[in-house]
Amino acid sequence: MAVRAMPLPSGGPTAPSSARSLAEARPVPYWLDDPGKPEALPALVGDEHCDLLVVGGGYSGLWTALIAKERDPARDVVLIEGKEIGWAASGRNGGFCAASLTHGFANGLSRWPGELSRLQELGRDNLDAIESAVDRYGIDCAFERTGEIDLATEPHQVGELRETADQAAALGIELTYLDRDAVRAEVDSPTFRAGLWDRTGVAMLNPARLAWGLKRACLEKGVRIHEHTPATELAPRGAGMGVRTPYGRVLARQVALGTNAFPNLVRRVRPYVVPVYDYALMTEPLSEEQLAAIGWKNRQGLSDSANHFHYFRLTEDNRILWGGYDVVYHYGGRIAEEYHQRPETYLKLADHFFRCFPQLEGVRFSHTWGGVIDTCSRFSPFFGTAHRGRVAYAVGYTGLGVGATRFGADVMLDLLGGERTERTETEMVRSKPLPFPPEPVRWAGIGITQWSLARADAGGGRRNLWLKAMDRIGLGFDS
């Protein structure tokens, strides 16, 4: 998220020029607007039987199905997806694949200080495993382990970045602090005051092509995949579980749920998650002269440090993806196709883009899109089982699921197998976040929190009594 606009340098573009930059943008996700998109597989018709049913065809479900077959090639695995593989968050995100399992160092330190070093190690191992799988299965997803720089764009954020660097160093974690000149030598913007560079803990990739590559890998391993097959009901069936679909059902010994922002088939999980909408723009490819004007030779991912933040990165063909800032919750947690476009947010994002990079005035945007994220009150995933251990779930990734979903897949399979592992023994895996209150309290609370976060961004980072109270009880709202 991000709420306060960056300072506007003199001579910067006006709102009309920002609007003109959007005039020819296609209202579709850039990543999914790809001629290489695979054809959808047929829907499930009739009855299927299997050892493991995976519900959801995003990263969470795809990694679970693939790792299940890697662990036991004889395991009979079926995956069902309500629409098409990778159509939701897995094909709409920014392509930041982070090692962090805790939604960043600072959040992890505040919630699990005693085991953060171990969680960092598990996260690094998980990112290494993703890189290895991309290579092993020949997945063409433009994987670049460039790292990410967190940016200070306001004076109070400079001290916060220095403090984080010192805290990380005390735990043996290397985060490189960059002063104003050093950060602007990496990427040149008049708004950048400092930076904190995680050099190896984040990779950039093409998210849709990662999902499609995982789909192919699953098929090659023998996973049976049915698209356009939503799961409508989950219930015990003999010694296993039964899942109904529009044209049939699946009878499975075990079920792994990877539906994330969408209503969970285990109803008691639903109060822990709210769906929020995030939005992004993609520019046309930059020329050599335009690239030279901003530097960015090392191609790191970037994000600023406001409560309501922007994230941005270069693509394989030197476009800039620019997203974040607004995070939108709809009353009752409603999810709808109509929310995938939001012109007022695009205009705001375009204006912020040119405030950040005034030297790119005249660049046009080629694509605009939005998507739904599953957020929980601790901003990082949680896990559990239901129906006497026959069903497992992992949910609440809060925008960092590109990397952490693979870890979540391992956790779900550990839980279904009744295994005690390094993963399942962590406090992070054994604990749950606080649930969100029911409506209309939820709607009002999120509104007050959004207003308070905006005030904090505009007021030097000072948190009001509402935010301090939320901090004390561990109840937050983020994307």
Side-chain angles (χ1 to χ4, degrees), residues 68-334:
K69 293 295 283 186
E70 289 177 338
R71 291 187 181 190
D72 180 4
R75 195 174 196 173
D76 188 18
V77 180
V78 170
L79 183 151
I80 60 174
E81 160 56 40
K83 290 192 177 180
E84 296 184 7
I85 296 296
W87 77 275
S90 297
R92 296 168 183 266
N93 63 80
F96 288 62
C97 186
S100 177
L101 306 174
T102 61
H103 208 270
F105 175 83
N107 189 55
L109 185 63
S110 70
R111 297 182 187 278
W112 302 287
E115 67 178 22
L116 182 57
S117 293
R118 185 64 192 126
L119 291 172
Q120 293 281 117
E121 290 176 11
L122 288 170
R124 294 286 174 141
D125 291 346
N126 182 66
L127 182 56
D128 289 344
I130 292 172
E131 185 171 13
S132 177
V134 166
D135 181 63
R136 185 167 65 254
Y137 292 109
I139 298 175
D140 178 19
C141 63
F143 189 99
E144 297 180 279
R145 200 154 174 175
T146 58
E148 179 181 4
I149 300 176
D150 290 333
L151 299 161
T153 58
E154 297 290 343
H156 72 275
Q157 296 167 2
V158 176
E160 291 171 358
L161 292 187
R162 282 187 181 275
E163 183 181 6
T164 299
D166 292 342
Q167 291 170 333
L171 293 174
I173 298 164
E174 184 180 355
L175 299 175
T176 304
Y177 176 79
L178 305 171
D179 64 17
R180 184 189 187 101
D181 290 341
V183 73
R184 290 190 62 173
E186 292 295 329
V187 188
D188 190 16
S189 166
T191 68
F192 297 171
R193 297 173 179 268
L196 195 61
W197 188 0
D198 181 349
R199 293 176 178 269
T200 61
V202 183
M204 299 294 107
L205 52 75
N206 180 312
R209 281 198 260 143
L210 173 62
W212 299 334
L214 291 173
K215 173 184 176 179
R216 175 178 53 79
C218 284
L219 292 171
E220 290 171 354
K221 287 286 189 181
V223 177
R224 286 173 284 150
I225 297 177
H226 297 280
E227 296 177 75
H228 297 292
T229 304
T232 59
E233 183 184 346
L234 170 72
R237 180 80 177 185
M241 301 299 300
V243 173
R244 289 200 172 275
T245 71
Y247 306 128
R249 62 179 178 170
V250 184
L251 304 174
R253 193 166 57 85
Q254 296 176 322
V255 177
L257 300 176
T259 49
N260 298 320
F262 297 90
N264 201 284
L265 291 174
V266 177
R267 296 188 68 89
R268 70 169 184 264
V269 176
R270 295 182 185 183
Y272 291 92
V273 178
V274 296
V276 297
Y277 280 82
D278 179 53
Y279 296 91
L281 310 176
M282 186 71 82
T283 72
E284 62 192 356
L286 300 188
S287 67
E288 290 298 325
E289 293 75 18
Q290 289 167 327
L291 280 172
I294 59 173
W296 214 344
K297 296 178 292 294
N298 291 314
R299 303 179 60 81
Q300 308 96 327
L302 303 173
S303 63
D304 63 65
S305 301
N307 291 307
H308 286 203
F309 62 87
H310 306 84
Y311 55 87
F312 40 121
R313 48 79 54 102
L314 288 170
T315 65
E316 189 177 17
D317 61 348
N318 291 325
R319 300 169 185 263
I320 296 178
L321 179 145
W322 179 266
Y325 198 78
D326 282 344
V327 57
V328 182
Y329 172 74
H330 296 278
Y331 188 87
R334 187 164 179 258

Side-chain angles (χ1 to χ4, degrees), residues 390-449:
R390 290 176 288 186
V391 176
Y393 58 83
V395 68
Y397 290 95
T398 316
L400 256 67
V402 180
T405 45
R406 189 195 173 280
F407 176 84
D410 265 327
V411 170
M412 284 196 284
L413 292 170
D414 291 348
L415 293 174
L416 289 172
E419 301 176 40
R420 295 181 64 176
T421 66
E422 279 190 290
R423 291 177 289 266
T424 63
E425 290 301 291
T426 61
E427 182 186 350
M428 175 190 171
V429 169
R430 290 186 288 107
S431 63
K432 293 278 194 303
L434 288 173
F436 291 98
E439 301 288 19
V441 177
R442 177 185 296 186
W443 168 260
I446 288 173
I448 295 169
T449 302

